[in-house]
Amino acid sequence: MSEERSLNFLEEIIEEDLSNGKHGGRILTRFPPEPNGYLHIGHAKSICLNFGIARKYNGKTNLRFDDTNPSTEDVEYVDSIREDIKWLGFEWEKELYSSDYFDKLYDFAMSLIRMGLAYVDDSTAEEIAAAKGSPTEPGRPTPYRSRSIEENIALFEEMKSGKYPDGAKVLRAKIDLASPNMHLRDPLMYRIKHAHHHRTGDKWCIYPMYDFAHGQSDAIEEITHSICTLEFVPHRPLYEWFIEHLNLFPSRQYEFARLNINYTVMSKRKLLQLVNEKYVTGWDDPRMPTISGLRRRGYTPLSIRNFAERIGVAKRENLIDLSLLEFCIREDLNKTAWRRMVVMDPVKLIISNYPEGQIELMEGENNPEVEGGEGSRTIPFSSELWIERDDFMEEPAKKYFRLGPGLMVRLKHAYIIQCERFVKDETGKISEIYCTYIPESRSGSDTSGINVKGTIHWVSAAGAKTAEIRLYDRLFRVEDPSNEEGDFKEYINPDSLSVISSAIIEPDLINAEQGRGYQFIRKGYFTLDVDSSPEKPVFNRTVTLKDAWAREVKKG
RNA sequence: UGCCCGAUAGUAUAAUGGUAGUACGACUGUUUUUGGUGCAGUUUGUCUAGGUUCGAAUCCUGGUCGGGCAACCA
């Protein structure tokens, strides 16, 4: 293992355990999603942590679906979770389900009852909540706390057999109603839920609570390091209480701070609202921070893994700059994306000294970052071209390196041109720009000796194809929507999506492949969307390029 | 006003009693047939008040601030 990067606190714990010979040097972690939604980038952090730590220390990682609440869970989610983890580049040792352990868990509950450490309570949810007291006042026992062991056994069996309706009874651990830790005030172990489970069907009508399932599941699998997020810190004493009293394998729980990124939200509940209330088109909307959304947006597994590595792991609350995620995807795509030319806001450019009707085939390397360019494609050139409207200024600003009356630029992969004149339509909008080209300046065999400051992209008008382009921006207008007054949805960015219905694309882009990143030169990184058809390609903008000129303009 | 967790540049994250460093961002310069990339550089920080110590970001005490905990959710 490389020691270049310093260890995070979890790696320190593990190295210490390893040097103490704990568990015979065996490391087994687990990733335990509840299949009630799609995975998001926060889960990606956890996945990279759990799988990454195991990989680093020659251990393994189980995938365990924490499916103890049938009313919120579904196989649709199981499938998407599996796909997302694989896509991120990780392989699990075993695929398991908390529901695999329902029989064992039931037996565990019975033994606790026999030890006098659990009881059936007939109180309503409200009564139990009221009797729990408050953080500053101790709780009181309900009348059912003193039931005999025999009665509890009989009642719990009846609960299991389906004799009672939902909510009629619960099974609680008998711990300490005065504990300063609310989680220890006789927590619920089982509730009655006559619901169909996506794996166990109708076999059960009682289901264990998280606290009675998670630690024991870890112990059954002999998980050595059970890594979860900070909100479970107060649950840890309970996790240990069950393991201790049931005399199980001593799995240990460790907690880290969950990921937050600015200008988005990161809770399944909120993401579900965005989907259900149609603020986005689905879980995989490219604006969503879900793994499937990021994938569709054009993010690569490597960029997300690198991101997870760079943000680090600690126990303090954090709000990561979106710019770091963007840096990570640019870093990867810069090295892998194929360059293409696309004009999004076109204006006609006519080269008056180039033979009308002539077509010349230019060559453009696919990837200048790689030796050999990963091959090349041909780009037709002719006397009529489309260029970007903002690559021309009637009255050029200072430090403007593009076209303007009398100015010269290079057409990427082609010739240097000089602007002669321009024409406006009746609305005052520039409709045509006339230039002359310098024949000796052809790209690759330039003998003109002329140096120009600017290079612009273009597409030949003859035979030009079009595509729909979807430009995405941050989903929210504020950095931390969850911490603002009122409903977080009030802070949605109304301009998070803008569509260019017919951008002009160079001919080769008709052959664009699904899953590949493209850099539209000077514009950004793009990828083909699933909505594409052969007649109508659709591209998603993954991220813009850094734009020093835009910053210059902004500064005034 | 109980218990628990935390506090280092704008944002993250190191330094584990001995030179406060790294990344992103921002800014400068340089290279460039992408105002991209690359390269070089600049910028900004230990919450606070005490204590221990030759020496404290680090250990101790008080305070302040932020977060979590009283779902038949996970």
Side-chain angles (χ1 to χ4, degrees):
Chain A
M1 55 208 79
S2 99
E3 225 57 37
E4 299 216 339
R5 188 176 59 85
S6 51
L7 267 27
N8 65 47
F9 78 99
L10 292 167
E11 292 168 330
E12 282 179 10
I13 288 167
I14 286 180
E15 293 204 356
E16 195 180 330
D17 288 348
L18 249 21
S19 69
N20 292 338
K22 198 171 176 184
H23 306 306
R26 187 178 62 87
I27 301 292
L28 181 62
T29 60
R30 105 265 90 116
F31 176 64
E34 183 188 13
N36 67 345
Y38 281 65
L39 260 26
H40 54 63
I41 182 125
H43 296 106
K45 175 180 180 180
S46 174
I47 290 168
C48 292
L49 230 192
N50 276 298
F51 285 87
I53 255 178
R55 185 180 283 178
K56 178 170 178 178
Y57 295 103
N58 290 315
K60 306 268 197 243
T61 305
N62 287 344
L63 168 60
R64 182 172 72 237
F65 290 97
D66 215 346
D67 56 350
T68 57
N69 186 359
S71 37
T72 59
E73 295 154 9
D74 195 280
V75 285
E76 173 198 353
Y77 300 123
V78 170
D79 295 340
S80 76
I81 288 168
R82 272 203 215 101
E83 184 190 350
D84 288 349
I85 297 170
K86 282 189 207 154
W87 178 79
L88 277 174
F90 296 104
E91 280 175 34
W92 49 88
E93 174 70 1
K94 291 181 184 160
E95 178 177 323
L96 300 162
Y97 295 77
S98 298
S99 55
D100 295 342
Y101 311 131
F102 281 174
D103 285 303
K104 278 182 183 154
L105 259 12
Y106 179 82
D107 291 343
F108 288 155
M110 264 310 175
S111 29
L112 252 16
I113 292 174
R114 286 195 200 96
M115 287 183 260
L117 293 174
Y119 62 99
V120 172
D121 195 323
D122 301 359
S123 309
T124 65
E126 297 70 38
E127 287 165 346
I128 289 177
K132 271 195 184 176
S134 74
T136 50
E137 296 165 274
R140 308 167 261 106
T142 64
Y144 310 98
R145 194 174 201 256
S146 49
R147 285 220 252 236
S148 70
I149 290 174
E150 292 67 31
E151 192 184 359
N152 281 318
I153 291 173
L155 253 15
F156 188 51
E157 278 171 350
E158 287 178 354
M159 280 170 65
K160 184 197 179 196
S161 72
K163 184 168 179 184
Y164 304 108
D166 290 6
K169 288 179 166 48
V170 293
L171 184 71
R172 301 177 71 180
K174 192 186 278 188
I175 305 181
D176 178 7
L177 285 166
S179 171
N181 182 341
M182 297 298 290
H183 294 276
L184 260 19
R185 319 250 264 226
D186 288 13
L188 269 62
M189 295 162 59
Y190 270 92
R191 77 286 216 187
I192 301 171
K193 227 179 232 271
H194 291 270
H196 186 83
H197 188 280
H198 66 106
R199 283 182 69 83
T200 59
D202 298 311
K203 178 178 176 191
W204 295 89
C205 64
I206 57 172
Y207 291 94
M209 301 290 291
Y210 165 86
D211 283 308
F212 193 66
H214 204 99
Q216 289 89 310
S217 301
D218 284 343
I220 290 167
E221 295 172 24
E222 304 201 335
I223 300 295
T224 58
H225 300 264
S226 178
I227 300 168
C228 63
T229 46
L230 245 28
E231 64 267 31
F232 292 101
V233 170
H235 295 247
R236 195 192 324 130
L238 184 53
Y239 179 106
E240 290 171 352
W241 191 91
F242 284 128
I243 283 181
E244 184 195 331
H245 289 271
L246 291 166
N247 195 25
L248 302 176
F249 178 86
S251 297
R252 283 280 172 272
Q253 173 183 304
Y254 304 91
E255 311 87 7
F256 68 96
R258 68 179 336 137
L259 167 67
N260 299 291
I261 299 182
N262 56 11
Y263 301 106
T264 189
V265 292
M266 205 75 85
S267 88
K268 274 191 199 170
R269 207 192 96 250
K270 292 194 174 77
L271 295 174
L272 182 64
Q273 277 183 65
L274 294 176
V275 172
N276 285 346
E277 298 169 30
K278 311 277 187 215
Y279 289 95
V280 294
T281 57
W283 286 100
D284 68 343
D285 186 298
R287 292 165 293 182
M288 292 280 274
T290 50
I291 310 279
S292 49
L294 290 165
R295 177 167 58 227
R296 187 168 171 191
R297 174 91 169 240
Y299 275 77
T300 59
L302 179 62
S303 69
I304 294 174
R305 280 185 261 125
N306 285 343
F307 175 72
E309 180 70 25
R310 282 168 195 268
I311 57 178
V313 182
K315 298 187 74 160
R316 62 187 92 105
E317 300 291 329
N318 58 78
L319 184 63
I320 307 278
D321 266 350
L322 185 58
S323 62
L324 182 61
L325 218 209
E326 293 182 337
F327 167 81
C328 291
I329 186 59
R330 287 192 187 108
E331 180 188 43
D332 187 16
L333 256 16
N334 176 51
K335 295 194 193 89
T336 58
W338 282 2
R339 272 56 171 179
R340 291 295 182 266
M341 295 199 286
V342 171
V343 176
M344 305 206 198
D345 182 13
V347 63
K348 184 66 75 68
L349 182 142
I350 296 153
I351 303 173
S352 49
N353 62 340
Y354 194 86
E356 211 178 318
Q358 177 172 317
I359 291 180
E360 193 174 343
L361 294 179
M362 303 302 187
E363 187 179 353
E365 59 196 343
N366 284 324
N367 185 353
E369 295 297 310
V370 172
E371 189 82 26
E374 289 183 347
S376 63
R377 83 288 187 187
T378 56
I379 313 161
F381 179 83
S382 64
S383 65
E384 276 197 30
L385 311 174
W386 295 108
I387 66 163
E388 214 68 66
R389 185 165 289 279
D390 68 2
D391 282 342
F392 180 86
M393 270 181 109
E394 192 176 337
E395 293 169 38
K398 63 271 163 220
K399 292 200 275 182
Y400 184 77
F401 304 147
R402 312 176 190 178
L403 263 189
L407 297 181
M408 293 176 121
V409 290
R410 171 171 297 278
L411 295 171
K412 180 77 180 172
H413 298 308
Y415 297 97
I416 292 173
I417 56 170
Q418 180 166 32
C419 176
E420 301 287 318
R421 64 192 176 90
F422 60 93
V423 176
K424 289 183 177 174
D425 64 16
E426 56 287 352
T427 68
K429 201 173 156 192
I430 290 167
S431 55
E432 291 175 328
I433 298 163
Y434 286 83
C435 296
T436 54
Y437 85 112
I438 295 161
E440 314 81 67
S441 67
R442 194 187 204 267
S443 195
S445 53
D446 186 347
T447 56
S448 70
I450 300 171
N451 266 320
V452 290
K453 207 79 188 253
T455 299
I456 63 172
H457 60 280
W458 51 274
V459 174
S460 171
K465 301 281 193 287
T466 61
E468 176 175 320
I469 296 188
R470 297 175 182 170
L471 305 176
Y472 301 102
D473 197 359
R474 49 184 64 148
L475 230 196
F476 289 88
R477 326 181 320 251
V478 296
E479 276 205 61
D480 195 359
S482 308
N483 265 341
E484 295 284 342
E485 291 286 311
D487 189 335
F488 75 102
K489 296 190 294 297
E490 290 167 30
Y491 300 92
I492 288 180
N493 175 9
D495 304 317
S496 61
L497 167 64
S498 60
V499 177
I500 296 174
S501 53
S502 51
I504 297 168
I505 62 175
E506 65 164 274
D508 187 83
L509 224 27
I510 283 295
N511 307 316
E513 304 159 37
Q514 197 82 238
R516 164 167 276 295
Y518 293 92
Q519 185 194 104
F520 294 176
I521 291 175
R522 301 207 302 139
K523 282 294 167 186
Y525 295 99
F526 294 79
T527 198
L528 203 62
D529 189 76
V530 289
D531 289 347
S532 293
S533 65
E535 307 78 53
K536 189 189 177 197
V538 177
F539 289 94
N540 293 321
R541 183 173 70 194
T542 310
V543 67
T544 60
L545 253 26
K546 277 171 66 178
D547 188 346
W549 173 245
R551 275 203 302 267
E552 193 69 32
V553 170
K554 218 173 177 176
K555 279 191 287 182

